[in-house]
Amino acid sequence: AASSSLHAVQYAYPQTEEASPSNSYTPTGATTNVQAVDEGSPSNDGDFISTNTGGDAIEFNLTDTLTDPGVDTGHIVRARAMSDKNGTLMTLGLYEGGSLIAVSGSLTANNGSWAPVSFTVPSAAITNYNDLRIRVVASNAGRNRTISVSWLELEVPDAVVLTAPTV
């Protein structure tokens, strides 16, 4: 019988920005929205995107370096966010091309300090790991509320490697 071993995890980060009719996000500390959120680790909050428009959405195409893990579980969408008022909400969505895979419930952006927000995708029936996107929606920005995001990431399990049994 063959045995399997599970290695580390894989990560994807914003690579390009998808055109969006409702995008009024602006970068701070970076030239483009992608440059503001594409770091490989969440250590740099000096560059970020922000909006004060309720319902505003921005969508990023992710790096195409993921290998299909062969499982539909263990997919996690992460961000670092901050708001300037208590109770400012956002959602994160995972898309394959234009098709929604999963969306988070309302996530609360921390008031005045950067903090992680994330959601685990319940079941990711993804067929093309080279066409994934993350969408950020500022649910209730506006009304004198601003939401900012400094980092985005998708984590998926590494591909299962089958090895022959030793005899």
Side-chain angles (χ1 to χ4, degrees), residues 58-114:
I58 188 168
E59 190 168 293
F60 295 98
N61 298 300
L62 300 179
T63 51
D64 56 2
T65 56
L66 297 176
T67 301
D68 187 337
V71 296
D72 292 343
T73 59
H75 296 61
I76 304 168
V77 178
R78 293 188 179 97
R80 279 183 59 82
M82 176 177 69
S83 69
D84 62 350
K85 299 272 189 302
N86 285 327
T88 303
L89 304 175
M90 63 184 287
T91 61
L92 296 171
L94 178 63
Y95 288 76
E96 180 180 357
S99 299
L100 176 66
I101 299 296
V103 66
S104 68
S106 291
L107 303 169
T108 302
N110 231 20
N111 179 20
S113 63
W114 294 103

